[in-house]
Each structure stands twice: as C-alpha cells, then as structure tokens.
Amino acid sequence: MTGDRVTLAVEDHGGEGPPLVLLHGAGRTLADWAAVAPLLARHHRVLALDLRGHGRSADGPWRIGEVLGDIEAVLDEHGLPGALPVGHSLGGMLAVQYALDHPEATPGAVNLDGYGWGRPDQYVGLDPAYVEERLVQVREMAATAAGRVLPSGGLKDLLAEQRMMSSRLGIPYELLEAGVRRSVAERADGQLELRPRREHALEMLARIDALDVFALFHRMDRPLLLGRALRPVPPIPGLDWFDELMAAYGSGLARDLAELAENRAEVTVAEIDGTHAMLLENPRAVAEAVLGFTAGLSPE
C-alpha cells in the first residue's frame, strides 16, 4: 500500500451477522484469537488481523494514527466499515480509539484487559514514588525484550518455555506454538528475531505509555465493554516485588472500573476468569462476554 499505510495479514473467520474486527495485543498475533473467533462467528462476521509489524503484516513506523488507518483500510477492503472493534490488551486500547475516531460508523468498542500500567496512584496500598521506581524497571525489561534476536537453538528453547506455560496455565500447547511461530521472522543475515522489529517495538511501547486509557473511556458516548482478568499473571522467578505490584494494581483497576461503570451508563464491565492470557486460557468466557455485550447493541 502507499503512503503511511502498510499491508496487513487478515484471517477471515466467516460467519453471518454484525461484523467484528479482532485486534491482538503488543507482540502478539491474530493467532491469539484462534479459539475465540469460531465461537463469535456463530453470531457475527469475524475478521482477525495482524497489526503492522506483527505476525505476517508488513513493517512500518509505529504511530497510533497510522495503525488505526491500517485497520480502516482492511475494513473498507472487506466492505465492513461498520465493524465493531474487539481488542485484547493493546488491541483493546486501539479498539476504543478507533471507535472514537469513527463515531458515524462504529457502534461501540470492546476492550479486554487493555489498561496499560496506569498511574502510580492507582496501585492501592503502595507509595506512588515506590511504584514509579518499579514501573521504570518494568519498562526497562520490556524494552530489553523488544525485537529480541534469538540465539542458535533459541526457537527450540522458546517453544520449550511455551510447553511449560501450557502446563502451568492449562492452555493447549498448539495455541501457544502457533503464536510463537507466527511471531518469528528470519532476518537478512539468517538469524531469527521476534516481531515487531526492535525499532518499531520501541516506538510501540512509547505510544502505549503515552495513552491515557481512562481519558479515552470517559470520551466514549457509545456502548463500551471493558473486560478485566480476575487472576494475576503468574509469578516471575526472582521478581518477588512484581507480584505485590500487580496485586496492588489489580485492586486499583477493579475500583476504578467499578466507579466508571457506576457513573457511565454506556460502560459495561465484565470480569473474566483468567489471567491476562484470557484469550488462550478461557476462550469460552471471553466469547460469552463479547456475545452478551453485542446482543444488547441496537441493530444497524
């Protein structure tokens, strides 16, 4: 494509009914929706896509406006400009921003656990200065992992990690393997790297940090579903402080979402039994939450 648009990889899950477009999280791919999409396609026309720089989509500078333009181009190409954006993690943030930017066409938005790191004062029971120090460490770890080049045998090791995760979280291994293989690309020098490429991954992380998602929520004047994971992410060996941080964040998020839903009639909050990896852990609960929400939308 020309200009600032790039060509995106799309999987059409078919189905009939009001259209949905599924948006994955940062560093993930459309493979994350493999177990959810067929459940949604029983009642909807469903498209899933790889965001720019991810999976099998083309590379390009990572700016929110251009990313949203990519999505718009895909929907126009498929004749589905009024599709409801349904996103997980980063994809959820993008879904809300897309709905705000397309008020005439888009009936609302679904954000599944896409809240970023929040503000330091959202971490219940922890000193904001301490939280800020820890968030600096979290961001440094994310930046270090961005666009990682795999050493010799690295893919095998990465798949072994996925098998361990499969056992720990009860996720079918084939779902995890498909996601990893779709995220790995061969460079010109023959080495393997995780997409998006480092330069674009760092741009993406900066854009995520700059998003004030609750400000976006308050701007929405159409139906908005906000999904929240009920279980914390698994512990990270050697980072005992991370568990405390996430528990404090979870408490603050639950409080703030409940307050938002109480004061905004268009907001629905769904609590989903799973961790942030809910699409893979509990696809049926995710699909039920989305279908319950879309059933209440006014027909076009």
Side-chain angles (χ1 to χ4, degrees), residues 38-62:
L39 302 176
L40 298 177
R42 295 174 183 175
H43 303 275
H44 294 275
R45 172 74 186 283
V46 178
L47 296 181
L49 54 82
D50 286 333
L51 298 172
R52 66 165 56 193
H54 292 72
R56 295 173 187 164
S57 288
D59 286 316
W62 227 94

Side-chain angles (χ1 to χ4, degrees), residues 56-127:
R56 295 173 187 164
S57 288
D59 286 316
W62 227 94
R63 295 182 291 265
I64 298 295
E66 282 81 352
V67 172
L68 298 178
D70 296 340
I71 298 167
E72 181 181 34
V74 165
L75 295 180
D76 286 345
E77 182 180 345
H78 285 80
L80 303 172
L84 176 77
V86 178
H88 172 249
S89 196
L90 168 61
M93 303 178 198
L94 295 174
V96 178
Q97 185 67 72
Y98 188 88
L100 287 169
D101 289 356
H102 299 79
E104 296 84 9
T106 308
V110 175
N111 177 338
L112 300 169
D113 221 35
Y115 307 110
W117 294 109
R119 306 182 312 272
D121 62 0
Q122 288 181 297
Y123 290 70
V124 173
L126 297 181
D127 178 67

Side-chain angles (χ1 to χ4, degrees), residues 98-291:
Y98 188 88
L100 287 169
D101 289 356
H102 299 79
E104 296 84 9
T106 308
V110 175
N111 177 338
L112 300 169
D113 221 35
Y115 307 110
W117 294 109
R119 306 182 312 272
D121 62 0
Q122 288 181 297
Y123 290 70
V124 173
L126 297 181
D127 178 67
Y130 168 80
V131 172
E132 186 56 50
E133 291 177 4
R134 292 305 192 186
L135 288 180
V136 168
Q137 291 179 266
V138 171
R139 292 184 175 103
E140 288 175 349
M141 290 188 297
T144 298
R148 180 158 56 104
V149 177
L150 300 180
S152 177
L155 178 58
K156 180 179 178 181
D157 293 340
L158 191 56
L159 291 174
E161 292 174 9
Q162 300 304 298
R163 191 168 293 281
M164 292 176 60
M165 185 182 298
S166 170
S167 299
R168 188 165 69 250
L169 298 180
I171 299 172
Y173 171 72
E174 58 270 20
L175 294 179
L176 294 171
E177 180 183 10
V180 167
R181 292 191 181 279
R182 195 173 182 91
S183 296
V184 173
E186 184 174 353
R187 305 194 316 178
D189 61 7
Q191 290 186 293
L192 298 178
E193 66 180 350
L194 294 177
R195 303 194 75 213
R197 293 169 51 189
R198 182 167 179 78
E199 61 180 294
H200 297 141
L202 293 176
E203 287 179 329
M204 178 182 66
L205 292 174
R207 304 298 178 188
I208 294 172
D209 280 343
L211 282 175
D212 182 344
V213 292
F214 272 84
L216 298 182
F217 301 159
H218 281 285
R219 287 173 52 200
M220 276 289 290
D221 59 359
R222 277 153 294 139
L224 173 61
L225 175 64
L226 300 175
R228 181 176 76 85
L230 286 178
R231 290 189 270 133
V233 297
I236 300 177
L239 293 180
D240 295 340
W241 55 265
F242 188 76
D243 298 340
E244 177 189 41
L245 194 71
M246 289 299 94
Y249 175 65
S251 296
L253 181 62
R255 175 200 64 199
D256 294 345
L257 289 177
E259 180 181 352
L260 184 69
E262 182 177 353
N263 294 314
R264 301 293 297 270
E266 65 274 15
V267 174
T268 299
V269 175
E271 296 182 330
I272 296 174
D273 184 20
T275 71
H276 188 64
M278 58 177 66
L279 301 185
L280 303 171
E281 291 173 314
N282 201 344
R284 185 164 298 280
V286 170
E288 288 175 353
V290 174
L291 292 173

Side-chain angles (χ1 to χ4, degrees), residues 6-29:
V6 302
T7 301
L8 301 190
V10 178
E11 182 167 358
D12 190 340
H13 290 273
E16 296 183 0
L20 309 178
V21 58
L22 308 182
L23 310 174
H24 60 77
R28 306 297 302 178
T29 74

